[in-house]
Amino acid sequence: MSEEQHKKECIDLNISSTLDEVASEESAPTVVPAPGPVLMHVPVTLAQRTVSTTLSANIHFDDPVLEIKDVKKRVKIVQCSLMLRPTDDPTEVFVPEDAHLFIRGFVRKNFQFASPTYRASDNCVSSEMRSHTIDLPFELSTIIPAADFISPPQRPLLNTRSEFDFFRSQKLGKGFPEKDRFLSSDLSQFHQISTQHYNQFPFCELISSEITEWDEAIDRKPLHGEAPFEEGYFHDMVEKMFLTFTIKVLQNQQAFVTVAMTPPTTL
């Protein structure tokens, strides 16, 4: 048997179009041993904001467009950063203050349109269905006032780096009285203590979005031949868009969560 045939047999599976139904039983989960507050490291909702912005773009189609049939849209957020002012005082990490939220992303648009085939008569036009996909970028920033935070964000602690020296007494050498000494630190040595804080960076979740758009052809021309007089095609159009989306800002924090030992009621 060749090596290739052996490999095929090793990964050959009998695949059935139906799946057997097997029995299952309830399994008791492992829980904390006693009721009360438990310290947990969980995502905490800092704020939820509805943001609005406008976009404008000139869109070119390589193929002639007779008619746009549908436009599928999807909002894509690629950067969502809550900028918090650092502090060197651990007692001030949860003191709320205004913060800037920077957001950058794209609106993915897929145009489904009919493209004429130039086989037309006085009462019909032949066309083919095609699609054209583009990304419209946007970038914005907004301020979240301190009073609007649902839970205060944990501000980052500053790293520290400090040098320290040791006293050294040494002879001055020739030309100086023997009783005199050179009093200072030792330049041949270097001492330092540094502290790094690995802070939790806030992150975002996209909750919902709404897009209102206005598309208008700017180079529409009539079809050639014997096509109906109102039929035409275009390659370029101008798009105006009003984008509104809701975004949730979270941060992993430590929080006390009360645990109840009462088992859930089975309906």
Side-chain angles (χ1 to χ4, degrees):
M1 180 183 298
S2 66
E3 183 179 354
E4 183 178 355
Q5 291 177 338
H6 178 70
K7 288 183 179 179
K8 287 184 178 180
E9 289 185 359
C10 289
I11 62 174
D12 188 19
L13 301 174
N14 294 322
I15 300 176
S16 174
S17 60
T18 60
L19 296 176
D20 294 334
E21 184 173 313
V22 299
S24 63
E25 59 183 16
E26 184 180 1
S27 176
T30 302
V31 297
V32 293
V38 177
L39 183 62
M40 301 182 67
H41 188 242
V42 294
V44 175
T45 300
L46 306 181
Q48 185 164 312
R49 311 292 291 181
T50 298
V51 185
S52 298
T53 186
T54 56
L55 291 83
S56 179
N58 296 327
I59 300 174
H60 175 75
F61 294 84
D62 292 332
D63 299 313
V65 179
L66 176 71
E67 181 183 5
I68 294 179
K69 296 296 185 179
D70 192 14
V71 183
K72 293 185 177 181
K73 298 167 284 289
R74 183 185 298 271
V75 177
K76 304 187 293 185
I77 304 295
V78 298
Q79 182 187 54
C80 184
S81 302
L82 181 67
M83 306 302 292
L84 301 171
R85 186 173 62 88
T87 179
D88 57 0
D89 187 353
T91 63
E92 295 184 354
V93 292
F94 286 107
V95 175
E97 62 179 12
D98 295 354
H100 285 80
L101 182 65
F102 292 87
I103 301 174
R104 183 164 60 91
F106 300 87
V107 177
R108 180 187 184 272
K109 303 195 67 176
N110 174 257
F111 294 90
Q112 299 178 22
F113 62 95
S115 183
T117 60
Y118 298 104
R119 294 191 299 270
S121 63
D122 58 353
N123 57 6
C124 68
V125 178
S126 298
S127 61
E128 298 175 345
M129 289 298 298
R130 299 184 182 182
S131 69
H132 184 63
T133 303
I134 61 172
D135 276 343
L136 298 179
F138 64 89
E139 188 170 3
L140 54 91
S141 67
T142 183
I143 296 178
I144 302 180
D148 288 357
F149 280 107
I150 301 172
S151 296
Q154 182 175 348
R155 294 162 55 190
L157 284 169
L158 289 169
N159 294 336
T160 61
R161 187 167 61 248
S162 302
E163 298 179 16
F164 59 96
D165 291 309
F166 292 100
F167 169 75
R168 182 180 181 185
S169 175
Q170 52 187 323
K171 295 180 181 181
L172 289 172
K174 293 182 180 181
F176 294 92
E178 186 176 350
K179 63 180 180 61
D180 291 343
R181 308 284 292 182
F182 176 72
L183 310 178
S184 184
S185 59
D186 191 351
L187 294 177
S188 65
Q189 297 181 6
F190 178 79
H191 313 86
Q192 185 185 78
I193 180 171
S194 60
T195 304
Q196 292 79 37
H197 295 279
Y198 302 97
N199 303 285
Q200 293 290 335
F201 194 78
F203 59 95
C204 300
E205 291 182 356
L206 187 60
I207 305 300
S208 62
S209 63
E210 181 180 284
I211 297 174
T212 303
E213 62 183 297
W214 176 24
D215 299 332
E216 183 178 17
I218 58 175
D219 66 340
R220 193 169 187 269
K221 302 175 183 179
L223 283 176
H224 302 287
E226 299 178 353
F229 71 93
E230 75 276 10
E231 299 295 338
Y233 70 96
F234 65 90
H235 285 274
D236 298 287
M237 73 178 189
V238 174
E239 178 171 272
K240 307 293 184 182
M241 182 188 301
F242 181 69
L243 169 64
T244 301
F245 59 88
T246 299
I247 203 162
K248 182 184 293 185
V249 186
L250 305 100
Q251 184 183 41
N252 288 324
Q253 296 180 3
Q254 292 193 126
F256 282 104
V257 178
T258 301
V259 178
M261 299 303 294
T262 304
T265 303
T266 303
L267 299 179

